[in-house]
Amino acid sequence: MHGGEKEYAVTIDGQLVKGDSRNLQITDHDTEQPAGYCPQASIRQLNQAVAVAQSAFEQWRYRDNVERQKLLNAITDGIEQHTEDLAIVVTEKQSKPMALARAEVQATITWTCAAATLELPIKVIEDTPNKRIELHCKLGVAGSIASWNWPPIIDAWHIMPVIRADNSAIYDMCGLQDRSL
């Protein structure tokens, strides 16, 4: 690495780790100069991330509907509290005008809030005075690879419904994006 460049890490099970594969160079869109490096995870690391997500799903799946809605509302509140900071990051990393960056963060807030209100289908198997049996479809681990050009809103489109629907996620941005967002 050269001076001023930053090296990023992969997050697996809450820990920052170097990718097992070669690092990918990040280019500053304004200067066309190297700005840092992001890790490229190996298949072994992907499998490790899937195992961690599956373990998280085993705990997450038992949270009730109201608790998941509260979590998404808390995420919405956090994004709202940091709207300007997030817009600045989008502007710096995407070279977008500030007005467009703010609009993207606002759309992210709107979508995250909307995901919290989604109703999940419940199939009633039996409903008698003495017993009610319901089927709640929980898929497990969802994988998502997002585009580089609208990170916050695409993140919300991919991740928030997964959380709302009782699943856990493995998420990655395509290799063209600075992963600091």
Side-chain angles (χ1 to χ4, degrees):
M1 278 191 5
H2 302 88
E5 295 172 359
K6 185 172 181 178
E7 188 168 343
Y8 297 92
V10 175
T11 305
I12 300 175
D13 199 14
Q15 302 297 312
L16 295 176
V17 297
K18 290 187 176 207
D20 284 346
S21 298
R22 67 181 173 83
N23 283 343
L24 303 172
Q25 182 174 297
I26 300 167
T27 302
D28 182 310
H29 301 292
D30 291 331
T31 66
E32 298 298 321
Q33 298 298 311
Y37 295 88
C38 65
Q40 185 174 350
S42 65
I43 297 296
R44 179 192 68 79
Q45 288 174 311
L46 173 63
N47 290 336
Q48 183 182 3
V50 169
V52 169
Q54 185 63 43
S55 175
F57 172 67
E58 292 305 319
Q59 298 168 24
W60 178 252
R61 70 191 301 177
Y62 296 109
R63 295 187 184 217
D64 68 27
N65 185 42
V66 172
E67 188 175 357
R68 288 189 311 278
Q69 286 177 314
K70 285 181 181 178
L71 173 66
L72 286 173
N73 287 328
I75 292 170
T76 300
D77 292 344
I79 296 169
E80 281 182 317
Q81 289 170 5
H82 298 282
T83 296
E84 194 65 17
D85 295 332
L86 291 168
I88 289 168
V89 171
V90 169
T91 297
E92 289 174 353
K93 303 301 179 181
Q94 297 284 307
S95 300
K96 289 182 182 174
M98 183 57 89
L100 187 56
R102 285 185 185 118
E104 183 175 354
V105 174
Q106 286 300 318
T108 302
I109 292 166
T110 300
W111 181 252
T112 303
C113 187
T117 66
L118 293 173
E119 291 297 322
L120 301 177
I122 299 171
K123 182 176 181 180
V124 177
I125 307 296
E126 183 177 336
D127 192 4
T128 65
N130 298 325
K131 177 171 48 172
R132 180 175 173 97
I133 301 173
E134 298 177 351
L135 177 63
H136 300 251
C137 183
K138 300 174 185 183
L139 302 175
V141 178
S144 173
I145 300 174
S147 173
W148 64 272
N149 55 342
W150 292 89
I153 188 60
I154 292 175
D155 297 352
W157 286 339
H158 289 202
I159 296 170
M160 302 313 168
V162 169
I163 291 171
R164 178 66 187 96
D166 248 356
N167 299 292
S168 57
I170 296 173
Y171 176 78
D172 189 23
M173 295 170 109
C174 76
L176 299 176
Q177 171 61 32
D178 173 342
R179 295 166 185 224
S180 63
L181 290 176

